[in-house]
Amino acid sequence: MSTRIVVVGGGTAGARLAQRLPVTLLGEEPHAPYNRVLLADVLAGRYAPEVIALPGTREPVRLGVRAVRIDRAARTVECADGSLVGYDRLVLATGSNPVLPPLRGLRGAALPAGVHPFRTLDDCLSLRALVRPGVRAVVIGGGLLGVSAARALAALGADVVLTQQGERLMERQLDAQASALLRSHVEALGVEVHTECRVSGLRQRDGAVTAVELADGYVLDTQVVVLACGVRPRVALAREAGLSVATGIVVDDELRTSDPHIHAIGDCAEHGGRVYGLAGPALEQADVLADVLLAETPAPARTGALTGASAEARAGTRDGALGDAPAPARTRDGAHPRVGNRPAGAGRVGTRDGAPGRAPALRTDPHHEDAAHPVRAQAREPLAPAGRGSAVPTLPQALGFARAGGTPLAPAERMPTAGGAQPTAATPAPAPAEAQPASAGSAPAARYTGTRALTRLTLGGARPLDLAAFGEVTAQPGDDVVQLADATRAAYRKVVVRGDRLVGGVLLGDLAAVGALARAWEGDEALPDAAPLLHLLTHDGGSS
């Protein structure tokens, strides 16, 4: 490409764009781009650091290079080493910084010895060097990031205490019953859990942490403290350059900032008033931006550039980058359903052919640990490209097939795509296949319209626990709720239906139904009128 594209940031979004297009990628960390959502597995010793490396980029990455200033008039980026990098198009993929809570004993940029955020590979490696069997560790923050860190520390043999200021673990993603099951599993791993527990300060001796003080006066002796209190978008570079910044760097549907020559993607970008802070949206934004930049490049210069941000190109890892859930064994849940305010099979409000409003966007609470947009282990299954049938039936298709007497394919049993076998957490996604650009006028202009992402977490132990959550898991008046619970198998499934739309759900234990549920929610599809709501939670359409 003749256009000089410079990308600041070597995280998920920046690395993805560098896989699609020949760019100059400035990475602040000394490590090659890696899958951040697998850091807990590196900390637990499940994976070596090199295993979580992302696929290679088209051009070498400039590692250990920190951008310090943007000159928009000269179109240059000044780096901390004094070098200047010129650009025609600049992409900010600066990611986010960990939130440091306002605690006594935690002032200034330097943290006491033994206190670490849980954000980078260096954080992870530092924690591994400190933790050994019997070491006392306190994790501050009971969201998904804190739960993941506590599980990893327990796997190393540490005596772990997990503190959560809210009423329950992962309260933003899970309802009370699901959170209680999660807490039981975490405690079974040997983690001591304290909820409704506010940390007020840290005690130190000779520059090293010795204890955590709670607001109620209780003191937890400790040698290691992990700060898992969320993250905030890194916007200083953009703000100092005069770009429009709210919570994140404000972008339009082409991921363009207030400067037409500068784009932003990933954790630092704010689209439609929302900062996602998730791997799935970051990858999708990078794919859309690659198509936008490719469309702006003169046709002769496009040869060899990558195109086609299709579902096949978005395959990834199980636990955080995009990817399909492995197909669990097909089992029948013998638990009894509990239906909200109507019996299963009753007619639904609204029609399939009408135009009901979309489900409200996920709300964010600026005072909540997760509201600062922590990186969540999540997997999003993209919708099939237009004009191409999905290998797995959508939820309405599956339900309709069940009513006709057939047995639909289990939603989690996804057929391999053109790229071959699906990657797993231990085998990061390959770079998208190289393709020739489409001819002019053959495809609509690329636009990013938002992402409806799924939160996914797998916890190890004697009895591993899988969970998935999406949308609104707490029902509002008038909503229909279906729940299936099996205490003997620690399995729990719940969906919330508003009118004829699926607006949220949570599944723990058996995730066989998650594929079709996620597609129905992400696609905002109308549910079949005649199918009982119980079918939403049976991966075989209720035919068995």
Side-chain angles (χ1 to χ4, degrees):
M1 298 176 71
S2 59
T3 302
R4 296 174 303 166
I5 302 175
V6 175
V7 180
V8 178
T12 300
R16 178 65 165 200
L17 187 63
Q19 294 161 21
R20 296 279 318 275
L21 301 174
V23 304
T24 299
L25 180 61
L26 308 178
E28 185 172 337
E29 294 188 52
H31 310 284
Y34 55 87
N35 188 346
R36 197 179 305 276
V37 297
L38 293 179
L39 287 177
D41 293 297
V42 174
L43 177 57
R46 182 180 179 190
Y47 301 138
E50 59 271 16
V51 172
I52 68 170
L54 292 173
T57 57
R58 297 190 65 188
E59 301 292 336
V61 180
R62 292 184 58 182
L63 299 176
V65 177
R66 182 169 62 90
V68 296
R69 181 174 175 270
I70 300 170
D71 188 330
R72 291 167 55 189
R75 294 188 193 171
T76 59
V77 176
E78 180 182 346
C79 301
D81 60 7
S83 62
L84 291 176
V85 183
Y87 67 85
D88 297 309
R89 291 287 186 273
L90 176 64
V91 180
L92 299 178
T94 48
S96 50
N97 285 324
V99 172
L100 301 183
L103 305 177
R104 291 192 305 273
L106 194 61
R107 296 290 187 268
L111 297 176
V115 178
H116 294 273
F118 190 46
R119 176 64 179 160
T120 68
L121 183 56
D122 283 339
D123 294 333
C124 183
L125 297 178
S126 296
L127 284 168
R128 271 196 64 85
L130 288 173
V131 177
R132 62 190 64 85
V135 164
R136 296 184 301 276
V138 174
V139 178
I140 302 176
L144 192 147
L145 187 64
V147 170
S148 299
R151 181 262 296 181
L153 294 171
L156 293 175
D159 296 330
V160 184
V161 176
L162 175 60
T163 66
Q164 162 71 332
Q165 184 169 334
E167 294 181 357
R168 59 181 187 268
L169 298 180
M170 290 182 63
E171 61 183 356
R172 192 158 183 254
Q173 294 92 0
L174 305 180
D175 65 4
Q177 189 167 350
S179 182
L181 288 172
L182 173 63
R183 177 171 181 161
S184 296
H185 182 85
V186 171
E187 290 176 335
L189 298 176
V191 177
E192 182 180 333
V193 178
H194 294 267
T195 55
E196 298 184 272
C197 169
R198 187 171 67 86
V199 175
S200 59
L202 304 178
R203 292 184 181 180
Q204 304 178 43
R205 182 183 300 116
D206 298 328
V209 67
T210 59
V212 170
E213 299 175 348
L214 305 183
D216 60 6
Y218 195 71
V219 176
L220 301 171
D221 292 335
T222 189
Q223 297 156 284
V224 175
V225 173
V226 178
L227 304 175
C229 304
V231 295
R232 291 194 182 101
R234 295 184 65 181
V235 298
L237 192 64
R239 180 179 285 118
E240 292 169 3
L243 299 178
S244 178
V245 173
T247 300
I249 305 169
V250 178
V251 297
D252 61 15
D253 289 355
E254 291 185 333
L255 291 313
R256 203 181 306 270
T257 69
S258 53
D259 185 323
H261 301 285
I262 302 178
H263 300 260
I265 56 177
D267 288 7
C268 69
E270 178 175 333
H271 175 269
R274 183 176 179 190
V275 179
Y276 286 91
L278 301 171
L283 294 171
E284 186 168 346
Q285 290 171 6
D287 283 337
V288 170
L289 181 56
D291 292 339
V292 168
L293 295 175
L294 193 64
E296 295 177 351
T297 305
R302 293 191 202 172
T303 304
L306 300 180
T307 60
S310 64
E312 288 82 1
R314 292 178 184 157
T317 61
R318 175 186 175 196
D319 284 326
L322 300 180
D324 298 313
R330 293 169 60 91
T331 61
R332 181 179 179 182
D333 195 327
H336 298 287
R338 287 190 294 166
V339 183
N341 53 13
R342 69 175 179 185
R348 292 192 174 84
V349 178
T351 62
R352 294 184 62 186
D353 299 325
R358 296 177 63 88
L362 292 177
R363 293 185 292 271
T364 56
D365 178 359
H367 302 290
H368 190 281
E369 178 248 343
D370 284 335
H373 316 293
V375 175
R376 302 185 185 106
Q378 61 87 33
R380 180 180 182 273
E381 297 182 348
L383 301 177
R388 185 171 193 157
S390 171
V392 181
T394 64
L395 187 64
Q397 289 172 339
L399 295 181
F401 193 26
R403 290 200 309 273
T407 303
L409 183 67
E413 294 174 349
R414 196 175 180 92
M415 299 296 289
T417 62
Q422 297 296 316
T424 66
T427 56
E434 190 165 327
Q436 293 297 325
S439 59
S442 63
R447 292 289 187 274
Y448 179 71
T449 57
T451 303
R452 310 184 85 190
L454 178 79
T455 298
R456 178 79 182 267
L457 176 66
T458 298
L459 294 174
R463 298 180 62 184
L465 178 70
D466 288 317
L467 71 83
F470 56 93
E472 302 177 51
V473 298
T474 301
Q476 297 181 5
D479 289 347
D480 292 310
V481 179
V482 187
Q483 295 179 203
L484 291 174
D486 185 344
T488 61
R489 291 163 45 195
Y492 175 73
R493 296 183 240 171
K494 171 185 174 180
V495 293
V496 180
V497 176
R498 184 169 301 146
D500 64 349
R501 304 285 161 150
L502 180 67
V503 297
V506 57
L507 298 91
L508 276 80
D510 183 3
L511 300 189
V514 69
L517 287 173
R519 278 186 291 277
W521 177 68
E522 291 170 349
D524 196 23
E525 302 171 350
L527 302 173
D529 295 325
L533 288 178
L534 179 59
H535 284 281
L536 294 171
L537 296 180
T538 55
H539 65 273
D540 60 357
S543 61
S544 62

